Amino acid sequence: MSELSRRSGVPTATIKYYLREGLLPPGRAIATTQAEYDETHLRRLGLVRALIGMRGLSVSATKEVLGGIAAHEGEQHQVLGIVLGARPADEDAEPAPEPAPGAAEVDALLAELGWEVSEHAPARAVLGEALETLRSLGEEIAHPALLGYAAAAAQLAAIDLDQLDPAADPLAQAESALVRTVLLEPALLALRRLAQENESVKRNS
């Protein structure tokens, strides 16, 4: 366990807590009070840290996510969706969400774009509420502009998935996707701000 702690940077006490809570599987017993941990434990520990530390999930919610990953082993699309919060851990048991503000507009947009998106995806509600709020403030986004934003988002999504190592272990892929998503979102916002300033200079100089 001390070696697992050294390689992962996670304190031994925290690893023991994760073991007690069932977030990590037990190691292979090599003595009465000793167990051996392998690369699978290291990858799983990395994912647990990312789920709790970056997504801010509780221990119980993290266990649900890990259970969902195990249930969809080998299905990269499902696993990434569960880890990133785009899909519930057990979509079949999750009731369909109540229609959020702007839901019909979002449904129509997704249909026009031909995007396949789970009805449980929280981003649906976020987008609908944002569009409704803009409209209430008299700042409605013209449809061609909205399609332009969608096209840019599609390019970003392709770049995101291109960064994943197809030969990597599924747990390592899931951790990488989560870390990149959480840490890159502020960076992408910063790039947008910088690009806006540059575009303004070009148009007004």
Side-chain angles (χ1 to χ4, degrees):
M1 185 178 294
S2 60
E3 177 66 10
L4 180 63
S5 175
R6 184 189 67 78
R7 294 184 63 190
S8 66
V10 179
T12 300
T14 302
I15 294 175
K16 289 180 178 179
Y17 173 67
Y18 290 164
L19 285 166
R20 288 196 303 271
E21 294 296 324
L23 299 180
L24 282 178
R28 184 175 67 86
I30 56 176
T32 305
T33 59
Q34 286 187 309
E36 186 176 68
Y37 300 91
D38 57 21
E39 292 297 318
T40 300
H41 289 90
L42 185 64
R43 290 191 291 268
R44 173 102 167 206
L45 185 55
L47 180 56
V48 168
R49 289 186 70 194
L51 289 169
I52 292 175
M54 292 188 173
R55 269 197 64 192
L57 297 185
S58 65
V59 168
S60 61
T62 298
K63 289 176 72 171
E64 288 183 18
V65 168
L66 293 173
I69 291 172
H72 293 282
E73 185 176 356
E75 302 174 54
Q76 186 190 53
H77 173 66
Q78 295 286 352
V79 168
L80 291 180
I82 292 169
V83 167
L84 296 174
R87 291 173 177 270
D90 187 356
E91 192 166 285
D92 292 335
E94 191 83 8
E98 293 293 323
E105 182 178 5
V106 172
D107 288 345
L109 175 64
L110 294 176
E112 181 178 356
L113 294 169
W115 289 5
E116 295 184 30
V117 178
S118 168
E119 65 177 353
H120 298 279
R124 283 176 172 268
V126 173
L127 177 58
E129 290 171 5
L131 294 177
E132 286 286 300
T133 300
L134 284 166
R135 185 173 295 114
S136 70
L137 296 173
E139 296 291 342
E140 183 171 2
I141 299 177
H143 191 64
L146 189 57
L147 293 178
Y149 283 124
Q155 288 183 311
L156 287 173
I159 294 171
D160 285 339
L161 293 183
D162 284 345
Q163 302 306 302
L164 297 181
D165 180 0
D169 176 272
L171 289 181
Q173 283 189 340
E175 179 193 0
S176 177
L178 178 55
V179 170
R180 286 176 180 274
T181 297
V182 172
L183 295 184
L184 268 179
E185 282 183 344
L188 293 175
L189 180 58
L191 282 171
R192 184 188 183 199
R193 296 283 189 267
L194 295 171
Q196 286 174 335
E197 180 177 350
N198 177 67
E199 186 65 22
S200 178
V201 169
K202 289 194 299 184
R203 295 186 182 200
N204 295 287
S205 60

